[in-house]
Amino acid sequence: MDCKVKWTGDGMSFIAETGTNHTVVMDGAIEAGGRNLAPRPMELMLAGAGGCAAFDVVLILKKGRHAVKGVEVSLQAERADVEPRVFTRIHFHFRVTGKQLKSEAVARAIELSKDKYCSATSMLEKTAEITHDFEIIED
């Protein structure tokens, strides 16, 4: 996997170009010299963890032939007070929409993501307590 991150030369804005030729803009807070025009790098890390987990849950439920129609995950994170300001706690709240989804199947998909498949949460759990809960919305 490759990625190139380049400072734009303006404030604290950076452009990342991924190995798959996608770009992501990052910026800093105003108090850090940024202009608050794009997500912070740590926000993208949190979003990546949410995306990784949601991807797994959808894939696992689809492979199990469950009638999943939507997956949304909200994340709340806490960071250390001192540098490096790593994540110390991350809570994932999944909202899974579908037809006649069983609670056990959704719980199993989330557990499999957390314990086996999601590379992002596997790395983040080295510094953060990771918790999750879910709700099922009947479609």
Side-chain angles (χ1 to χ4, degrees):
M1 185 176 293
D2 297 310
C3 184
K4 178 173 60 175
V5 178
K6 183 178 179 182
W7 179 44
T8 65
D10 184 24
M12 293 303 287
S13 293
F14 296 84
I15 297 175
E17 183 179 324
T18 68
T20 54
N21 295 316
H22 296 281
T23 58
V24 178
V25 177
M26 296 173 276
D27 198 9
I30 293 171
E31 59 272 13
R35 296 186 309 167
N36 197 30
L37 297 175
R40 316 276 190 279
M42 289 297 285
E43 289 175 321
L44 290 176
M45 186 173 289
L46 188 62
C52 184
F55 183 98
D56 290 342
V57 169
V58 169
L59 191 61
I60 293 164
L61 290 173
K62 285 180 128 190
K63 280 186 175 181
R65 301 185 190 270
H66 299 280
V68 61
K69 299 288 182 185
V71 173
E72 176 181 304
V73 60
S74 301
L75 294 90
Q76 293 181 328
E78 295 177 20
R79 292 176 65 188
D81 293 330
V82 296
E83 303 295 338
R85 296 196 56 228
V86 298
F87 290 119
T88 56
R89 286 194 174 141
I90 305 171
H91 180 74
F92 291 68
H93 176 74
F94 291 86
R95 291 177 50 119
V96 183
T97 304
K99 291 194 180 287
Q100 299 177 346
L101 293 173
K102 294 184 175 149
S103 181
E104 300 81 23
V106 172
R108 181 178 178 272
I110 292 168
E111 286 297 326
L112 281 170
S113 174
K114 180 180 176 288
D115 296 338
K116 185 173 183 179
Y117 295 112
C118 183
S119 305
T121 55
S122 289
M123 286 186 285
L124 291 171
E125 72 181 357
K126 305 292 186 222
T127 64
E129 173 191 356
I130 296 179
T131 58
H132 61 269
D133 61 14
F134 67 90
E135 61 184 295
I136 296 174
I137 313 299
E138 183 65 28
D139 184 40

